[in-house]
Amino acid sequence: MAFHEKFRFEDKIALREKIEELGLDIPFADDVSPLLEKPKVSGRELPNRLAVLPMEGADAGPEEGSPGELTFRRYRRFAAGGSGTIWFEATAVTEDGRSNPHQLMLTGGNLGVFKRLVEETRNAARTEWGASHDPLLILQLTHSGRFSKPLGKPAPVVCHRSPALDALQCLPGDHPLLSDGELERLQEKYVAAAALAAEAGFDGVDIKACHGYLVSELLASFTRGGSRYGGSLENRARFLREVFAAVRRRIPELIVTTRLNAYDSIPYPHGFGVDKETPSKVDLTEPKALIRELRTSGLELLAISAGIPYYKPFYGRPFDVPIRGAGIPDEHPLEGVSRLLAIAADLQAEFPGLAVVGSGYSWLRRFFPNVAAAVVTSGGATLIGLGRGAIAYPDFARDLAEKGSLSGGKVCTTCSLCSMMLRRGGPVGCGVRDREIYGPKAAGDGTVARGTATAGRRGVALILDMDGVLIDNIRFHVRAWEKFARRHGIAFDEEVFKKRFFGRTNEAILAGLFQRGFSHLEVAEYAGEKEALYRELYKNEIQPARGLTRLLEELKLRGVSLAVATAGPRANLDFALDGTSARRYFDALVDGDSVAQGKPSPDIYLKAAALLEIPPRNCAAVEDSFPGIQSAVSAGMKVIAITTTHPGDDLGGADLVIDSFEELTAHSILELVEERMPRTRRGRRTGS
């Protein structure tokens, strides 16, 4: 495992040296012409081996789901850019399955608009490349499942209990599961949408089975007991298998494919393609068995993906800058690239007659063709796909064909702006390379277009703990732990509990209460139970700590960067930020699940400083517990202790002790930090 770093490679030699240093199997070729070869898929010759992978634009009409002006613009640009395959974005098969109010949805009422979209896409390709240039057009069909937001608010349609995702979404333990009958009826919706897609002029449809959406979640439904759609692989794959076969029967001329998550990253038994003992390892046994079955039904084209964007997104999308609050991964982006390449290569070797579409190339910038060409030459994939990379650089295929290389000024910077724009409801595009259209949206999102969290800021940061700091919630946590302990027959003493455990991770607390170690899965289950109790107790009383909002406003006006660093789980952090409307103030978020060691280790604070790109010595932390103070001090930060949880005498090691945020001003925080900031020769503080 290596540390994360941004892409800083000026030439191919430097990149190859880094690959060699990390000991990764990433091939490299100087000759990129294999990408311009014309492979055959389903008996059809494609213009080249380059594909645009589906990435939502979130720019459809909210009521009818029809492609809007920006939708048409996006696909005309892809077509004029010369890619041989254009994979149209996720298009919902039902209203309740839309991931946002502006997701595409194909119906009988808007069929004419989709027909026009297909026609204009093909015409754009022919105008630029001649009548013989006919890209393969695939429409992705989806139901967003647990990530459905048809009206802009979460409306989860859940197939199985997943401790990690349930906690992320704050789902109660009694949230209803989609029934077998509902799943059977939903199959027809996919078939009907596929028929409309064929009528609209698409060459094929993709039954989306990736990124934790409904079909993907079904593949991981090991714990869905007593169901035709859970337990065994035969049952978990039933929905995808039956929809695939039904579409093939009804519309035999239509290419049917799937974009498949070969690896979820979520620990067994809640993730597909995951090693049972080591969640970070890929196990392709079940994905291969599934593909083998689909091959018997006529599968000839397969797009490979991995990871859940809402849970450790770097597994599927190596990046320079994470989505705000997601945290920096504990691996080098090249490790993620290598993993995705290896998955595709393994499956291509297993099924040599199958056209496998590889992914994971965007982070490589202008050198992606060198790696992609080597992959194709070695038999590691048939087609090469770009998602984010195509959004930023729609004419990448043109430049490769005409110039033999890509422009460093046009490639995707993997800054995650597009992903953040999608999270905020769209429209989605590249705020860096397509600034005229999408730059205002990126700026309105509060994210700096060049991908740095601290651009234009003072160079000073305040990092706040959550429990007892951001919110005065300690008594509710105590009540939740007490209720939890009684459920499990454990004696509970409030004073002992507060003294021993406040500021520590759930894993450490559980080990102390039960006097034994816990597996990853056990921690997730028990912690999820306790946190659900806490949120239920606190949900009607949540509010920001006294004086905090005024202080945050003042600090933002003074250019101070802000972050939250908590040992608590991400679900609780989201709960606090949304409940207090405080999310807009923070430039970075770090939770207990995003670091290897919780407080008193300095990891959480060091990660927050790294996300802000501000040296720890230029940061102040606000804490309410001794382990938290230790963590911040060890990180090299000034510490302000607040007496919401413990008396001041128990908060040794802090530089300043306060009873509430009403005692603090932006000026006092700046004085505290800047007194030791390094100075230039002229005496001016660096970073000011």
Side-chain angles (χ1 to χ4, degrees):
M1 181 179 291
F3 290 110
H4 180 275
E5 71 171 318
K6 294 183 178 180
F7 190 98
R8 306 187 189 277
F9 307 102
E10 297 294 330
D11 52 43
K12 292 183 286 187
I13 295 174
L15 177 58
R16 296 184 73 171
E17 286 177 348
K18 175 57 79 171
I19 293 170
E20 185 176 347
E21 175 191 328
L22 296 174
L24 300 174
D25 185 16
I26 299 178
F28 213 89
D30 292 322
D31 180 12
V32 300
S33 62
L35 300 178
L36 304 176
E37 297 169 350
K38 299 181 178 183
K40 284 190 175 181
V41 175
S42 292
R44 174 173 170 173
E45 187 177 84
L46 305 186
N48 51 55
R49 295 186 183 273
L50 300 168
V52 174
L53 292 175
M55 182 156 171
E56 288 183 55
D59 45 27
E63 296 180 0
E64 71 283 359
S66 298
E69 291 183 11
L70 288 175
T71 318
F72 277 85
R73 176 183 183 267
R74 181 162 58 258
Y75 288 99
R76 286 195 300 263
R77 294 177 85 209
F78 289 152
S83 292
T85 300
I86 301 175
W87 217 285
F88 285 65
E89 65 202 73
T91 301
V93 299
T94 64
E95 178 65 36
D96 72 340
R98 295 172 82 179
S99 64
N100 63 79
H102 299 282
Q103 186 176 45
L104 295 178
M105 186 169 71
L106 175 55
T107 67
N110 64 14
L111 176 61
V113 186
F114 275 88
K115 282 184 177 179
R116 184 161 61 86
L117 177 64
V118 172
E119 291 169 1
E120 291 196 17
T121 301
R122 293 199 189 280
N123 286 338
R126 291 164 182 162
T127 299
E128 291 294 320
W129 297 90
S132 63
H133 186 93
D134 190 17
L136 187 70
L137 306 185
I138 305 290
L139 180 66
Q140 185 175 75
L141 303 179
T142 189
H143 188 295
S144 296
R146 67 164 56 240
F147 302 112
S148 297
K149 294 183 180 178
L151 300 177
K153 296 182 178 180
V157 180
V158 179
C159 296
H160 74 97
R161 298 263 71 86
S162 174
L165 298 180
D166 288 357
L168 188 69
Q169 297 179 283
C170 301
L171 289 185
D174 60 352
H175 188 89
L177 299 182
L178 202 61
S179 70
D180 283 10
E182 290 171 314
L183 286 168
E184 288 164 4
R185 291 189 290 276
L186 185 57
Q187 290 189 29
E188 179 54 33
K189 300 292 186 181
Y190 277 86
V191 179
L196 289 171
E199 193 172 347
F202 290 98
D203 300 304
V205 293
D206 161 18
I207 312 302
K208 185 176 184 177
C210 58
H211 304 160
Y213 298 109
L214 186 136
V215 180
S216 174
E217 183 172 58
L218 281 171
L219 291 174
S221 293
F222 293 88
T223 61
R224 185 183 168 98
S227 167
R228 296 180 68 247
Y229 299 97
S232 67
L233 177 61
E234 179 184 2
N235 285 347
R236 288 181 280 118
R238 187 184 303 278
F239 188 93
L240 174 59
R241 200 175 57 247
E242 290 183 349
V243 169
F244 190 99
V247 174
R248 291 280 297 164
R249 285 194 305 271
R250 185 163 168 180
I251 318 127
E253 71 277 10
L254 196 66
I255 296 172
V256 186
T257 180
T258 184
R259 192 168 191 215
L260 178 69
N261 246 36
Y263 170 67
D264 286 349
S265 80
I266 295 177
Y268 176 85
H270 305 289
F272 186 64
V274 177
D275 182 85
K276 293 183 179 180
E277 302 298 327
T278 309
S280 61
K281 291 184 179 180
V282 179
D283 183 348
L284 294 178
T285 304
E286 288 202 337
K288 287 178 179 179
L290 170 60
I291 295 167
R292 194 168 292 109
E293 277 200 71
L294 294 177
R295 287 283 284 160
T296 64
S297 297
L299 178 71
E300 297 184 75
L301 175 67
L302 174 71
I304 295 302
S305 191
I308 311 294
Y310 310 91
Y311 176 86
K312 300 183 179 180
F314 59 90
Y315 279 107
R317 296 172 181 168
F319 47 64
D320 269 15
V321 180
I323 294 173
R324 179 171 293 172
I328 300 294
D330 295 321
E331 68 173 24
H332 196 283
L334 282 169
E335 293 180 271
V337 173
S338 180
R339 181 188 301 109
L340 288 161
L341 299 189
I343 290 172
D346 194 343
L347 295 176
Q348 186 68 89
E350 185 77 12
F351 305 100
L354 179 66
V356 173
V357 187
S359 65
Y361 292 90
S362 291
W363 191 82
L364 297 170
R365 309 305 205 265
R366 62 191 177 95
F367 304 122
F368 109 77
N370 302 100
V371 173
V375 166
V376 166
T377 302
S378 65
T382 302
L383 305 181
I384 302 297
L386 287 185
R388 298 166 295 164
I391 290 284
Y393 197 165
D395 55 345
F396 71 95
R398 174 194 296 279
D399 281 2
L400 198 57
E402 295 179 351
K403 303 175 184 178
S405 64
L406 301 183
S407 167
K410 296 165 77 175
V411 294
C412 174
T413 63
T414 65
C415 67
S416 297
L417 260 180
C418 53
S419 297
M420 181 61 74
M421 292 160 76
L422 182 60
R423 295 283 181 93
R424 300 291 292 260
V428 179
C430 185
V432 178
R433 305 303 190 194
D434 201 2
R435 193 181 297 271
E436 183 178 347
I437 300 297
Y438 295 102
K441 172 61 183 174
D445 193 31
T447 308
V448 181
R450 59 178 177 268
T452 60
T454 59
R457 302 190 181 217
R458 190 183 186 96
V460 175
L462 183 69
I463 305 174
L464 297 95
D465 181 35
M466 176 178 64
D467 295 317
V469 177
L470 183 70
I471 47 180
D472 190 3
N473 63 341
I474 296 304
R475 65 187 184 279
F476 296 96
H477 271 299
V478 173
R479 287 167 59 189
W481 277 116
E482 183 179 17
K483 196 170 183 178
F484 172 87
R486 286 175 179 171
R487 278 187 180 180
H488 294 275
I490 299 171
F492 186 88
D493 184 297
E494 180 175 336
E495 291 306 312
V496 172
F497 180 85
K498 290 169 71 172
K499 187 167 289 188
R500 287 186 63 195
F501 297 123
F502 271 19
R504 299 187 181 273
T505 63
N506 281 334
E507 184 175 7
I509 296 172
L510 288 166
L513 288 177
F514 285 86
Q515 293 295 297
R516 68 175 180 86
F518 284 81
S519 69
H520 181 90
L521 182 58
E522 287 178 311
V523 171
E525 290 176 346
Y526 281 125
E529 178 188 345
K530 177 264 165 181
E531 300 306 347
L533 290 171
Y534 154 72
R535 291 190 292 268
E536 183 63 29
L537 290 167
Y538 192 38
K539 66 182 181 181
N540 295 323
E541 304 205 34
I542 188 169
Q543 58 183 333
R546 183 161 52 95
L548 178 62
T549 301
R550 184 271 312 161
L551 180 64
L552 295 178
E553 291 278 5
E554 188 179 338
L555 289 166
K556 294 301 283 188
L557 289 173
R558 297 291 294 272
V560 175
S561 296
L562 297 168
V564 179
T566 175
R570 181 56 188 262
N572 283 4
L573 179 55
D574 288 336
F575 172 75
L577 294 174
D578 295 337
T580 60
S581 300
R583 189 184 295 274
R584 65 185 184 275
Y585 297 112
F586 294 103
D587 306 294
L589 307 172
V590 182
D591 58 73
D593 296 329
S594 61
V595 293
Q597 299 184 75
K599 302 171 183 178
S601 163
D603 291 14
I604 286 177
Y605 281 105
L606 290 175
K607 189 158 209 174
L611 285 174
L612 296 172
E613 297 186 351
I614 293 178
R617 67 175 180 270
N618 293 8
C619 302
V622 185
E623 272 288 350
D624 69 318
S625 71
F626 186 63
I629 293 171
Q630 288 181 297
S631 175
V633 170
S634 298
M637 300 180 182
K638 290 285 189 178
V639 184
I640 302 165
I642 188 166
T643 60
T644 51
T645 307
H646 300 283
D649 292 343
D650 293 344
L651 298 173
D655 298 280
L656 177 67
V657 179
I658 61 173
D659 294 322
S660 84
F661 286 105
E662 293 178 341
E663 301 173 37
L664 285 178
T665 65
H667 179 72
S668 63
I669 292 171
L670 288 168
E671 278 196 327
L672 179 68
V673 176
E674 293 182 341
E675 68 180 22
R676 65 172 184 177
M677 287 176 62
R679 300 173 180 270
T680 65
R681 289 182 181 178
R682 297 179 181 180
R684 185 179 177 183
R685 303 183 193 282
T686 59
S688 302

